[in-house]
Amino acid sequence: MKVPFFDLNQQFSSIEEEVKSALDEVLKTQQFILGPKVEALEQTIARYCQTQYAIGVASGSDALLLSLMALRIGPGDEVILPPFTFFATAGSVSRTGATPVFVDIDPNNYNIDPSKIEEKINSRTKAIIPVHLFGQCADMDPVLQIARAKQLFVIEDAAQALGAEYKPHPNLKGQRAGQMGDLGCFSFYPTKNLGAFGDAGMVVTDDHVLAERIRLLRVHGSQPKYFHKWIGINSRLDTIQAAILLVKFKYLEKWTEARQRKAERYRELFQDLLPFMADLRLPSIQYENRHIFNQYVIRVPKRDQLRKFLIDEGIGTDIYYPLPLHLQECYSFLKHRRGDFPTSERASEETLALPIYPELTEEQQMMVVESIKEFYRK
Ligand SMILES: Cc1ncc(COP(=O)(O)O)c(C=O)c1O
């Protein structure tokens, strides 16, 4: 038996006919850019995120870039974000000409540590980008409080967190990933909980003006066609991707709940190892947040040796992310050194993502955990 890190084939087989007929519909219309399917997906995602507006774009990276452009962030501005994230969080800031300013993470949930934000704010600071890493919301109350007090914009990088909730409460609205900041950015990269058959992304917001700006900026700022109000980019969501995502959306809750059950099962299977391994950390859920487990990331000693051992056993894993952004070659001009953000650096050295997807079987999960136990017994 093998346990691939992820396996999209099984999911596809379960919806193959529905997807093919949705594709057929698009092929018959020969409309491939934006159109009614994209509008239907935008309405679906806006409703799901409890926001007024959603704007389909070409990728999660573009969702971030367009959000920054809509806020008119550019050269001379600074934007605060964690260094332990996918590159796009910082890359989008740099693309606008602004400077990313890093703030270390909380070791328990790998998200930005709000207690370290204020010391980085100055007159150039324009926005904060909290990242809801692995599918759990960052600690948004203090982030929003700081942003309000200092008049900063908040862009949520919710690329990995569609459907996540912060401090969920049955009588409280307004806690969905993407709806708490000024703008929320999502990715439909194929391995996300809701994944396209290629690149696709979405921005959500309650702000009418920002929504309209992003709608224009994604089509080179043109309104009407060939008359350009602003300098935008080409970042339209393909009709084909929207058609596929509309089919898959019907199963999103079911798939996310299956991921949550797999996460709970991992927790149970690891229980007897925990007393003997003080430095083994399972994902911890803060404030009973709704974690959607886009990734199941553990912290372990001898991470690289364990990973190699698991490969030999036929078990796929991945490392998100092996080098924090402040130490990336392209950011050498920021003059950071190892030691500047120790929690992010440790996380990049010690964390390992285990296979998690709705179709992962009980036997496969047991094999993953048994193999890890065997490695540490040796
Ligand atoms: C945290 C984070 N931000 C941004 C992105 C960018 O999304 P995309 O790959 O759709 O451009 C991703 C996707 O991998 C991500 O995980």
Side-chain angles (χ1 to χ4, degrees):
M1 182 170 67
K2 283 199 186 292
V3 190
F5 179 61
F6 59 81
D7 177 5
L8 293 169
N9 286 304
Q10 288 187 63
Q11 187 188 79
F12 178 58
S13 326
S14 73
I15 53 169
E16 187 168 351
E17 290 316 311
E18 262 186 291
V19 168
K20 282 182 174 164
S21 84
L23 285 178
D24 259 355
E25 242 183 88
V26 177
L27 296 182
K28 284 197 184 107
T29 66
Q30 287 291 300
Q31 172 166 20
F32 297 115
I33 306 277
L34 300 175
K37 290 272 182 207
V38 172
E39 282 162 29
L41 181 69
E42 289 173 340
Q43 282 162 17
T44 302
I45 297 298
R47 215 175 305 122
Y48 188 66
C49 293
Q50 300 167 2
T51 58
Q52 292 280 325
Y53 310 100
I55 308 101
V57 298
S59 68
S61 302
D62 276 3
L64 289 163
L65 176 61
L66 286 161
S67 295
L68 291 156
M69 289 169 75
L71 294 173
R72 312 235 155 103
I73 286 170
D77 296 335
E78 293 185 359
V79 178
I80 288 174
L81 55 108
F84 189 61
T85 174
F86 179 63
F87 182 75
T89 320
S92 58
V93 172
S94 299
R95 271 273 138 248
T96 66
T99 304
V101 172
F102 298 116
V103 166
D104 212 353
I105 54 165
D106 177 334
N108 295 311
N109 57 21
Y110 308 111
N111 286 323
I112 196 163
D113 181 345
S115 71
K116 301 201 168 99
I117 292 179
E118 278 190 272
E119 64 200 61
K120 294 294 178 75
I121 295 175
N122 60 44
S123 59
R124 292 181 296 279
T125 314
K126 290 293 177 313
I128 308 173
I129 310 184
V131 182
H132 306 322
L133 204 66
F134 307 139
Q136 172 168 223
C137 289
D139 194 2
M140 290 299 288
D141 279 348
V143 171
L144 293 168
Q145 219 173 344
I146 295 166
R148 243 175 258 129
K150 305 281 181 183
Q151 294 187 308
L152 305 176
F153 295 113
V154 174
I155 302 172
E156 294 172 68
D157 182 342
Q160 303 182 5
L162 183 64
E165 283 173 18
Y166 175 67
K167 292 187 181 174
H169 187 284
N171 303 324
L172 260 187
K173 279 205 149 197
Q175 308 294 325
R176 277 247 150 157
Q179 76 164 154
M180 294 175 274
D182 297 285
L183 296 146
C185 299
F186 293 96
S187 164
F188 303 118
Y189 183 78
T191 58
K192 299 293 193 263
N193 287 32
L194 181 63
F197 288 8
D199 279 315
M202 189 81 68
V203 181
V204 298
T205 183
D206 279 330
D207 187 313
H208 175 71
V209 173
L210 292 177
E212 278 314 298
R213 271 189 211 160
I214 290 171
R215 261 181 224 294
L216 249 65
L217 287 168
R218 75 175 169 179
V219 290
H220 284 303
S222 90
Q223 191 191 49
K225 208 172 177 186
Y226 305 130
F227 291 83
H228 299 267
K229 202 175 158 96
W230 297 311
I231 301 169
I233 57 174
N234 172 12
S235 184
R236 301 166 300 208
L237 179 59
D238 284 347
T239 315
I240 280 181
Q241 299 302 347
I244 293 162
L245 290 166
L246 280 168
V247 170
K248 289 179 113 186
F249 181 81
K250 290 188 268 176
Y251 304 95
L252 178 62
E253 284 303 281
K254 194 179 96 182
W255 288 336
T256 292
E257 283 162 18
R259 283 171 181 270
Q260 290 168 327
R261 282 196 300 277
K262 310 290 161 190
E264 177 57 21
R265 188 67 187 128
Y266 270 135
R267 204 184 59 77
E268 289 166 3
L269 291 169
F270 276 117
Q271 276 316 299
D272 55 344
L273 195 58
L274 290 171
F276 304 101
M277 275 188 66
D279 37 11
L280 166 67
R281 287 286 158 79
L282 304 181
S284 82
I285 298 181
Q286 198 179 22
Y287 308 125
E288 299 179 15
N289 287 340
R290 182 176 197 241
H291 193 321
I292 60 142
F293 287 103
N294 180 241
Q295 299 298 343
Y296 188 89
V297 175
I298 61 171
R299 184 192 277 272
V300 286
K302 296 193 248 169
R303 191 262 322 263
D304 294 336
Q305 291 105 299
L306 170 65
R307 184 162 192 231
K308 189 169 177 319
F309 178 81
L310 293 175
I311 289 171
D312 295 340
E313 297 286 299
I315 297 169
T317 59
D318 212 337
I319 295 170
Y320 301 115
Y321 296 91
L323 189 65
L325 300 186
H326 65 288
L327 299 177
Q328 296 287 343
E329 188 179 342
C330 65
Y331 282 129
S332 57
F333 70 93
L334 293 175
K335 305 256 182 284
H336 285 300
R337 291 210 209 122
R338 203 164 271 282
D340 282 357
F341 304 103
T343 312
S344 297
E345 290 163 27
R346 265 195 69 189
S348 70
E349 286 157 12
E350 297 176 356
T351 56
L352 189 67
L354 302 183
I356 189 157
Y357 34 89
E359 301 79 16
L360 190 70
T361 65
E362 167 72 12
E363 292 70 32
Q364 287 177 312
Q365 280 198 282
M366 283 173 64
M367 183 178 159
V368 172
V369 178
E370 278 313 310
S371 302
I372 293 174
K373 287 178 182 170
E374 193 190 329
F375 173 80
Y376 289 107
R377 254 188 249 121
K378 284 206 292 185

